[in-house]
Short mmCIF file of all heavy atoms in Angstrom, two decimals:
data_model
loop_
_atom_site.label_atom_id
_atom_site.label_comp_id
_atom_site.label_asym_id
_atom_site.label_seq_id
_atom_site.Cartn_x
_atom_site.Cartn_y
_atom_site.Cartn_z
N ALA A 17 9.02 -30.60 14.33
CA ALA A 17 10.44 -30.77 14.03
C ALA A 17 11.33 -31.22 15.30
O ALA A 17 12.11 -32.01 15.21
CB ALA A 17 10.99 -29.47 13.50
N ILE A 18 10.89 -30.48 16.41
CA ILE A 18 11.75 -30.95 17.64
C ILE A 18 11.38 -32.31 18.06
O ILE A 18 12.31 -33.14 18.51
CB ILE A 18 11.30 -29.90 18.75
CG1 ILE A 18 11.83 -28.53 18.47
CG2 ILE A 18 11.82 -30.46 20.21
CD1 ILE A 18 11.37 -27.50 19.44
N ARG A 19 10.24 -32.74 17.99
CA ARG A 19 9.77 -34.17 18.39
C ARG A 19 10.44 -35.18 17.55
O ARG A 19 10.76 -36.35 17.96
CB ARG A 19 8.25 -34.27 18.36
CG ARG A 19 7.54 -33.57 19.47
CD ARG A 19 6.06 -33.46 19.27
NE ARG A 19 5.36 -32.62 20.19
CZ ARG A 19 4.14 -32.11 20.07
NH1 ARG A 19 3.61 -32.28 18.90
NH2 ARG A 19 3.71 -31.34 20.97
N ALA A 20 10.53 -34.86 16.23
CA ALA A 20 11.12 -35.73 15.27
C ALA A 20 12.59 -35.72 15.23
O ALA A 20 13.32 -36.53 14.56
CB ALA A 20 10.51 -35.46 13.82
N GLY A 21 13.21 -34.73 15.96
CA GLY A 21 14.67 -34.53 15.94
C GLY A 21 15.19 -34.00 14.63
O GLY A 21 16.45 -33.98 14.32
N SER A 22 14.28 -33.29 13.90
CA SER A 22 14.70 -32.62 12.59
C SER A 22 15.16 -31.26 12.98
O SER A 22 14.75 -30.54 13.80
CB SER A 22 13.52 -32.60 11.66
OG SER A 22 13.73 -31.76 10.52
N HIS A 23 16.12 -30.71 12.08
CA HIS A 23 16.69 -29.45 12.22
C HIS A 23 16.35 -28.46 11.14
O HIS A 23 17.10 -27.42 10.85
CB HIS A 23 18.26 -29.52 12.35
CG HIS A 23 18.66 -30.02 13.75
ND1 HIS A 23 18.67 -31.43 14.03
CD2 HIS A 23 18.90 -29.37 14.94
CE1 HIS A 23 19.07 -31.54 15.22
NE2 HIS A 23 19.12 -30.35 15.80
N GLU A 24 15.31 -28.81 10.37
CA GLU A 24 14.80 -27.85 9.30
C GLU A 24 13.26 -28.07 9.13
O GLU A 24 12.73 -29.11 9.11
CB GLU A 24 15.45 -28.15 7.95
CG GLU A 24 15.07 -27.24 6.93
CD GLU A 24 15.91 -27.20 5.63
OE1 GLU A 24 17.00 -27.65 5.70
OE2 GLU A 24 15.37 -26.92 4.63
N THR A 25 12.60 -26.91 9.14
CA THR A 25 11.18 -26.89 8.82
C THR A 25 10.79 -25.61 8.12
O THR A 25 11.52 -24.60 8.25
CB THR A 25 10.40 -27.15 10.17
OG1 THR A 25 9.05 -27.36 9.85
CG2 THR A 25 10.50 -25.93 11.00
N ALA A 26 9.68 -25.61 7.41
CA ALA A 26 9.19 -24.40 6.79
C ALA A 26 8.17 -23.63 7.61
O ALA A 26 7.36 -24.23 8.21
CB ALA A 26 8.66 -24.81 5.41
N LEU A 27 8.29 -22.27 7.57
CA LEU A 27 7.40 -21.43 8.26
C LEU A 27 6.12 -21.27 7.38
O LEU A 27 6.28 -20.75 6.24
CB LEU A 27 8.02 -20.09 8.51
CG LEU A 27 9.01 -20.02 9.59
CD1 LEU A 27 9.59 -18.60 9.69
CD2 LEU A 27 8.52 -20.43 10.92
N PRO A 28 4.88 -21.73 7.70
CA PRO A 28 3.75 -21.50 6.89
C PRO A 28 3.42 -19.97 6.86
O PRO A 28 3.57 -19.24 7.85
CB PRO A 28 2.62 -22.17 7.70
CG PRO A 28 3.38 -23.03 8.62
CD PRO A 28 4.68 -22.38 8.96
N VAL A 29 3.21 -19.57 5.58
CA VAL A 29 2.89 -18.08 5.35
C VAL A 29 1.63 -17.81 4.54
O VAL A 29 1.18 -18.83 3.92
CB VAL A 29 4.08 -17.33 4.60
CG1 VAL A 29 5.42 -17.36 5.49
CG2 VAL A 29 4.29 -17.98 3.29
N ARG A 30 1.04 -16.67 4.75
CA ARG A 30 -0.17 -16.40 3.96
C ARG A 30 0.27 -15.17 3.10
O ARG A 30 0.80 -14.12 3.61
CB ARG A 30 -1.33 -16.01 4.86
CG ARG A 30 -2.58 -15.57 4.16
CD ARG A 30 -3.73 -15.51 5.17
NE ARG A 30 -3.51 -14.46 6.20
CZ ARG A 30 -3.72 -13.29 6.09
NH1 ARG A 30 -4.26 -12.71 4.89
NH2 ARG A 30 -3.56 -12.35 7.04
N GLN A 31 -0.12 -15.14 1.88
CA GLN A 31 0.17 -14.01 0.96
C GLN A 31 -0.90 -12.87 1.23
O GLN A 31 -1.99 -13.13 1.37
CB GLN A 31 0.15 -14.38 -0.52
CG GLN A 31 0.64 -13.41 -1.44
CD GLN A 31 0.68 -13.78 -2.87
OE1 GLN A 31 -0.38 -14.02 -3.46
NE2 GLN A 31 1.83 -13.82 -3.47
N VAL A 32 -0.37 -11.75 1.33
CA VAL A 32 -1.14 -10.47 1.41
C VAL A 32 -1.26 -9.78 0.13
O VAL A 32 -0.27 -9.26 -0.34
CB VAL A 32 -0.66 -9.62 2.60
CG1 VAL A 32 -1.56 -8.41 2.80
CG2 VAL A 32 -0.49 -10.34 3.85
N VAL A 33 -2.48 -9.64 -0.44
CA VAL A 33 -2.63 -8.95 -1.71
C VAL A 33 -2.69 -7.44 -1.61
O VAL A 33 -3.43 -6.96 -0.66
CB VAL A 33 -3.93 -9.55 -2.37
CG1 VAL A 33 -4.13 -8.82 -3.80
CG2 VAL A 33 -3.81 -11.02 -2.58
N PRO A 34 -2.08 -6.65 -2.40
CA PRO A 34 -2.16 -5.25 -2.30
C PRO A 34 -3.56 -4.75 -2.58
O PRO A 34 -4.37 -5.33 -3.28
CB PRO A 34 -1.22 -4.65 -3.35
CG PRO A 34 -0.32 -5.89 -3.79
CD PRO A 34 -1.16 -7.10 -3.51
N ASP A 35 -3.93 -3.68 -1.97
CA ASP A 35 -5.32 -3.09 -2.17
C ASP A 35 -5.45 -2.52 -3.64
O ASP A 35 -6.41 -2.59 -4.21
CB ASP A 35 -5.49 -1.93 -1.16
CG ASP A 35 -5.63 -2.46 0.30
OD1 ASP A 35 -6.04 -3.58 0.43
OD2 ASP A 35 -5.37 -1.70 1.16
N VAL A 36 -4.30 -2.01 -4.18
CA VAL A 36 -4.37 -1.46 -5.56
C VAL A 36 -3.29 -2.24 -6.38
O VAL A 36 -2.04 -2.11 -5.97
CB VAL A 36 -3.90 0.02 -5.54
CG1 VAL A 36 -3.95 0.54 -6.92
CG2 VAL A 36 -4.96 0.81 -4.70
N SER A 37 -3.79 -2.99 -7.28
CA SER A 37 -2.85 -3.82 -8.17
C SER A 37 -2.31 -2.92 -9.26
O SER A 37 -2.92 -1.92 -9.70
CB SER A 37 -3.56 -5.02 -8.70
OG SER A 37 -4.60 -4.68 -9.54
N ALA A 38 -1.27 -3.37 -9.97
CA ALA A 38 -0.69 -2.62 -11.16
C ALA A 38 -1.72 -2.68 -12.35
O ALA A 38 -1.85 -1.61 -12.95
CB ALA A 38 0.62 -3.31 -11.56
N ALA A 39 -2.46 -3.74 -12.46
CA ALA A 39 -3.40 -3.85 -13.48
C ALA A 39 -4.55 -2.76 -13.26
O ALA A 39 -5.00 -2.05 -14.28
CB ALA A 39 -4.13 -5.28 -13.52
N ALA A 40 -4.94 -2.58 -11.98
CA ALA A 40 -6.04 -1.61 -11.81
C ALA A 40 -5.46 -0.24 -12.00
O ALA A 40 -6.14 0.65 -12.55
CB ALA A 40 -6.50 -1.75 -10.34
N ALA A 41 -4.20 -0.02 -11.56
CA ALA A 41 -3.63 1.37 -11.82
C ALA A 41 -3.54 1.74 -13.31
O ALA A 41 -3.68 2.85 -13.69
CB ALA A 41 -2.28 1.44 -11.11
N ARG A 42 -3.21 0.73 -14.25
CA ARG A 42 -2.98 1.01 -15.59
C ARG A 42 -4.37 1.33 -16.29
O ARG A 42 -4.35 1.88 -17.40
CB ARG A 42 -2.38 -0.27 -16.24
CG ARG A 42 -0.91 -0.33 -15.80
CD ARG A 42 -0.20 -1.40 -16.65
NE ARG A 42 1.24 -1.47 -16.21
CZ ARG A 42 1.70 -2.44 -15.47
NH1 ARG A 42 0.90 -3.37 -14.83
NH2 ARG A 42 2.97 -2.46 -15.06
N ARG A 43 -5.52 1.01 -15.62
CA ARG A 43 -6.75 1.38 -16.33
C ARG A 43 -7.03 2.85 -16.12
O ARG A 43 -8.03 3.37 -16.71
CB ARG A 43 -7.83 0.49 -15.67
CG ARG A 43 -7.84 -0.94 -16.00
CD ARG A 43 -9.16 -1.54 -15.75
NE ARG A 43 -9.46 -1.60 -14.24
CZ ARG A 43 -9.10 -2.68 -13.48
NH1 ARG A 43 -8.42 -3.65 -14.01
NH2 ARG A 43 -9.39 -2.59 -12.25
N ILE A 44 -6.26 3.61 -15.44
CA ILE A 44 -6.41 5.00 -15.22
C ILE A 44 -5.65 5.72 -16.34
O ILE A 44 -4.45 5.64 -16.51
CB ILE A 44 -5.76 5.56 -13.84
CG1 ILE A 44 -6.55 4.88 -12.71
CG2 ILE A 44 -6.09 7.08 -13.72
CD1 ILE A 44 -5.98 5.18 -11.48
N ASP A 45 -6.39 6.32 -17.31
CA ASP A 45 -5.77 7.02 -18.57
C ASP A 45 -6.19 8.42 -18.76
O ASP A 45 -6.01 9.08 -19.82
CB ASP A 45 -6.10 6.22 -19.83
CG ASP A 45 -7.62 6.09 -19.98
OD1 ASP A 45 -8.47 6.70 -19.19
OD2 ASP A 45 -8.06 5.35 -20.92
N SER A 46 -6.96 8.96 -17.73
CA SER A 46 -7.38 10.36 -17.88
C SER A 46 -6.91 11.12 -16.56
O SER A 46 -7.01 10.68 -15.48
CB SER A 46 -8.94 10.33 -18.05
OG SER A 46 -9.24 9.80 -19.24
N LEU A 47 -6.63 12.40 -16.77
CA LEU A 47 -6.14 13.29 -15.82
C LEU A 47 -7.38 14.38 -15.55
O LEU A 47 -7.81 15.14 -16.41
CB LEU A 47 -4.96 13.99 -16.07
CG LEU A 47 -4.39 14.92 -15.01
CD1 LEU A 47 -4.02 14.25 -13.75
CD2 LEU A 47 -3.17 15.70 -15.59
N ILE A 48 -7.77 14.45 -14.38
CA ILE A 48 -8.82 15.43 -14.03
C ILE A 48 -8.29 16.69 -13.78
O ILE A 48 -8.75 17.74 -14.26
CB ILE A 48 -9.75 14.94 -12.88
CG1 ILE A 48 -10.48 13.60 -13.19
CG2 ILE A 48 -10.69 15.98 -12.43
CD1 ILE A 48 -11.25 13.04 -12.01
N GLY A 49 -7.14 16.72 -12.97
CA GLY A 49 -6.61 18.06 -12.75
C GLY A 49 -5.60 17.97 -11.65
O GLY A 49 -5.66 17.08 -10.81
N THR A 50 -4.66 18.87 -11.59
CA THR A 50 -3.84 19.04 -10.60
C THR A 50 -3.61 20.56 -10.20
O THR A 50 -3.91 21.37 -11.07
CB THR A 50 -2.38 18.53 -10.91
OG1 THR A 50 -1.89 19.28 -11.98
CG2 THR A 50 -2.41 16.98 -11.27
N PHE A 51 -3.40 20.80 -8.98
CA PHE A 51 -3.16 22.18 -8.68
C PHE A 51 -2.38 22.18 -7.28
O PHE A 51 -2.28 21.18 -6.65
CB PHE A 51 -4.51 22.91 -8.49
CG PHE A 51 -5.40 22.45 -7.32
CD1 PHE A 51 -5.28 22.97 -6.01
CD2 PHE A 51 -6.32 21.43 -7.64
CE1 PHE A 51 -6.05 22.41 -5.07
CE2 PHE A 51 -7.16 20.92 -6.64
CZ PHE A 51 -7.10 21.44 -5.30
N THR A 52 -1.91 23.36 -6.95
CA THR A 52 -1.15 23.52 -5.84
C THR A 52 -1.64 24.78 -5.08
O THR A 52 -2.04 25.79 -5.76
CB THR A 52 0.36 23.77 -6.15
OG1 THR A 52 0.90 22.70 -6.81
CG2 THR A 52 1.17 24.02 -4.80
N THR A 53 -1.87 24.62 -3.80
CA THR A 53 -2.35 25.71 -3.13
C THR A 53 -1.34 25.91 -1.84
O THR A 53 -0.84 25.07 -1.32
CB THR A 53 -3.77 25.44 -2.47
OG1 THR A 53 -4.23 26.56 -1.74
CG2 THR A 53 -3.86 24.26 -1.56
N MET A 54 -1.22 27.19 -1.58
CA MET A 54 -0.33 27.57 -0.58
C MET A 54 -1.19 28.09 0.64
O MET A 54 -2.22 28.75 0.48
CB MET A 54 0.59 28.82 -1.00
CG MET A 54 1.39 28.54 -2.17
SD MET A 54 2.46 27.04 -2.00
CE MET A 54 3.53 27.85 -0.86
N TYR A 55 -0.79 27.64 1.81
CA TYR A 55 -1.54 28.03 2.99
C TYR A 55 -0.62 28.18 4.23
O TYR A 55 0.47 27.70 4.21
CB TYR A 55 -2.71 27.12 3.32
CG TYR A 55 -2.17 25.69 3.74
CD1 TYR A 55 -1.90 25.35 5.00
CD2 TYR A 55 -1.95 24.69 2.63
CE1 TYR A 55 -1.45 24.12 5.33
CE2 TYR A 55 -1.52 23.45 3.01
CZ TYR A 55 -1.23 23.16 4.31
OH TYR A 55 -0.86 21.89 4.64
N VAL A 56 -1.06 28.96 5.11
CA VAL A 56 -0.30 29.23 6.30
C VAL A 56 -0.69 28.18 7.36
O VAL A 56 -1.97 28.00 7.62
CB VAL A 56 -0.49 30.59 6.87
CG1 VAL A 56 0.24 30.87 8.21
CG2 VAL A 56 -0.19 31.63 5.87
N PRO A 57 0.23 27.36 7.87
CA PRO A 57 -0.10 26.38 8.94
C PRO A 57 -0.95 26.99 10.09
O PRO A 57 -0.67 28.14 10.58
CB PRO A 57 1.23 25.86 9.34
CG PRO A 57 2.11 26.16 8.17
CD PRO A 57 1.63 27.43 7.67
N GLY A 58 -2.00 26.22 10.54
CA GLY A 58 -2.72 26.74 11.64
C GLY A 58 -4.06 27.26 11.21
O GLY A 58 -4.99 27.48 12.15
N GLN A 59 -4.33 27.66 9.95
CA GLN A 59 -5.57 28.13 9.52
C GLN A 59 -6.64 26.91 9.59
O GLN A 59 -6.26 25.81 9.40
CB GLN A 59 -5.52 28.74 8.13
CG GLN A 59 -4.69 29.96 8.04
CD GLN A 59 -4.59 30.53 6.62
OE1 GLN A 59 -5.04 29.82 5.68
NE2 GLN A 59 -3.97 31.76 6.61
N PRO A 60 -7.95 27.42 9.76
CA PRO A 60 -8.99 26.29 9.92
C PRO A 60 -9.03 25.40 8.70
O PRO A 60 -9.41 24.20 8.77
CB PRO A 60 -10.25 27.10 10.09
CG PRO A 60 -9.76 28.38 10.65
CD PRO A 60 -8.37 28.69 10.08
N ARG A 61 -8.72 25.92 7.44
CA ARG A 61 -8.86 25.11 6.20
C ARG A 61 -7.74 23.93 6.19
O ARG A 61 -7.97 23.13 5.30
CB ARG A 61 -8.89 26.02 4.99
CG ARG A 61 -7.50 26.65 4.82
CD ARG A 61 -7.61 27.45 3.41
NE ARG A 61 -6.30 28.18 3.17
CZ ARG A 61 -6.11 28.72 2.10
NH1 ARG A 61 -7.01 28.69 1.15
NH2 ARG A 61 -4.97 29.39 1.99
N VAL A 62 -6.82 24.06 6.98
CA VAL A 62 -5.76 23.06 6.97
C VAL A 62 -6.33 21.62 7.13
O VAL A 62 -6.09 20.69 6.48
CB VAL A 62 -4.76 23.32 8.04
CG1 VAL A 62 -3.83 22.09 8.19
CG2 VAL A 62 -3.92 24.58 7.67
#
């Protein structure tokens, strides 16, 4: 652009695909389980 005296040019870009797509997420239709555990910070199991 500078050599041609032009004052506009496009920046070339590359698209980055997500690791997890919406289509892949929608295939999940079963819940194995959820739970909550309480622990004191500093214990080895942390």
Side-chain angles (χ1 to χ4, degrees):
I18 292 173
R19 289 167 185 159
S22 173
H23 286 87
E24 182 169 333
T25 190
L27 289 175
V29 297
R30 176 172 64 85
Q31 189 177 65
V32 180
V33 179
D35 293 332
V36 180
S37 66
R42 289 191 178 96
R43 288 198 295 269
I44 301 173
D45 58 4
S46 299
L47 181 65
I48 294 176
T50 63
F51 63 91
T52 302
T53 182
M54 305 300 294
Y55 63 93
V56 178
Q59 292 180 351
R61 63 176 180 171
V62 169

